[in-house]
Amino acid sequence: MRIRIVDTFTDRPFSGNPAGVLILDSDTFADDDRLQRIAMEVNLSETAFAHPLPPGGEADWALRWFTPTTEVDMCGHATLATAHVLHTTGAATGTVRFAARCGILTSDTRPDGAITLDFPTSPLTPEATPAGLAAALGAEPLSVQDTGPHIGDLLVELSDEATVRGLTPDIARLADVSRRGVVVTAAAADPARGYDFVSRGFFPRVGIDEDPVTGSAHTALAPFWSARLGRDDLTGLQASARSGLVRTSLRGDRTLLTGDAVTVIDGELLTSL
């Protein structure tokens, strides 16, 4: 079984967010425990598993994502990685439709290799700052939003880009204040540098202290910043150590996420599923 490591939301190796990708020959997934053990062995923020579906249905591939500790409902960067592998290996062309736990997702690959994902927009609900959140972050939130059922993060607006970049949060305490994780964000200090807002994402409850670039979080960041900046098409910089750019286009109840990807490792899983 081939296994690939793909760096996403970047056009350079060793940056962006790496994901494991396994394209299965069978028409079913292995049992959950087996998939979880493989994801734990790969030990990246997500490992994607995909298998082909019969022609004529509403989707072309079934897709699931696992962190080292659990399965998740929605993952942007590992979907981008899967679409990249399908196209670069010739397993798929044109628009690819994925059946996932969060519904039907699609990907379109441009001639230059950039990939656009069509994801559901996350519903935002303002809420009071949870007790202990400011202390865990080491910064005072300007606002807090719940991001709905599929991603389950708290979206936390901070005062400025420098505060987002300089955070050294108490990861263990953050695990007590959200269902999945905490995404912090602020407007770009200088939009002339090529991005409109910055973010960072911390997900200790699913085994990820800090995620390098979180595609799914941008389904919440897109409506949040589009409302404030008055534009539907934006670019976000996730300011992790590896860093990456996500181009977002808000289309009502759908959000388009566009980014690049590069395969950095192509190997073989020396055990059967």
Side-chain angles (χ1 to χ4, degrees):
M1 179 66 61
R2 297 279 286 279
I3 182 169
R4 296 167 176 88
I5 308 299
V6 180
D7 289 344
T8 64
F9 295 113
T10 181
D11 58 2
R12 297 177 293 108
F14 316 122
S15 60
N17 200 355
V21 178
L22 288 94
I23 306 299
L24 311 180
D25 296 328
S26 64
D27 59 2
T28 60
F29 291 110
D31 66 85
D32 292 0
D33 180 69
R34 188 67 169 165
L35 300 180
Q36 186 63 72
R37 286 176 179 273
I38 292 170
M40 182 173 62
E41 185 74 11
V42 175
N43 200 34
L44 296 174
S45 56
E46 265 92 11
T47 297
F49 301 86
H51 71 71
L53 293 171
E58 62 179 357
D60 310 300
W61 295 81
L63 180 61
R64 296 173 71 180
W65 314 276
F66 288 77
T67 78
T69 63
T70 191
E71 185 173 8
V72 296
D73 283 353
M74 182 190 295
C75 179
H77 86 280
T79 306
L80 188 76
T82 304
H84 172 77
V85 169
L86 291 174
H87 279 272
T88 56
T89 61
T93 59
T95 299
V96 179
R97 302 167 301 165
F98 298 102
R101 287 171 65 167
C102 58
I104 302 299
L105 312 174
T106 65
S107 71
D108 286 287
T109 302
R110 300 193 321 217
D112 65 1
I115 297 169
T116 296
L117 306 176
D118 184 329
F119 270 48
T121 299
S122 293
L124 300 179
T125 305
E127 64 174 58
T129 300
L133 176 60
L137 286 174
E140 192 66 38
L142 297 183
S143 67
V144 178
Q145 311 274 334
D146 179 84
T147 58
H150 287 309
I151 59 177
D153 299 330
L154 291 180
L155 179 60
V156 180
E157 181 186 11
L158 298 180
S159 58
D160 52 40
E161 179 176 335
T163 301
V164 171
R165 289 182 177 273
L167 283 183
T168 55
D170 185 325
I171 297 298
R173 293 175 72 179
L174 281 183
D176 296 329
V177 298
S178 74
R179 296 193 306 278
R180 185 182 80 156
V182 175
V183 177
V184 297
T185 188
D190 180 9
R193 297 180 65 184
Y195 53 91
D196 301 290
F197 60 87
V198 296
S199 66
R200 290 173 67 190
F202 309 98
F203 308 98
R205 294 197 68 173
V206 293
I208 306 163
D209 286 355
E210 181 170 5
D211 195 36
V213 190
T214 313
S216 61
H218 283 76
T219 67
L221 288 161
F224 181 85
W225 285 112
S226 290
R228 281 158 175 73
L229 300 177
R231 290 183 286 122
D232 289 338
D233 298 330
L234 301 170
T235 298
L237 172 72
Q238 194 148 335
S240 65
R242 290 175 64 101
S243 188
L245 290 171
V246 183
R247 300 187 289 280
T248 66
S249 297
L250 185 63
R251 301 292 183 264
D253 64 353
R254 307 296 294 185
T255 295
L256 306 182
L257 310 173
T258 299
D260 298 293
V262 57
T263 301
V264 293
I265 295 175
D266 185 345
E268 186 176 357
L269 182 67
L270 297 178
T271 181
S272 65
L273 285 175

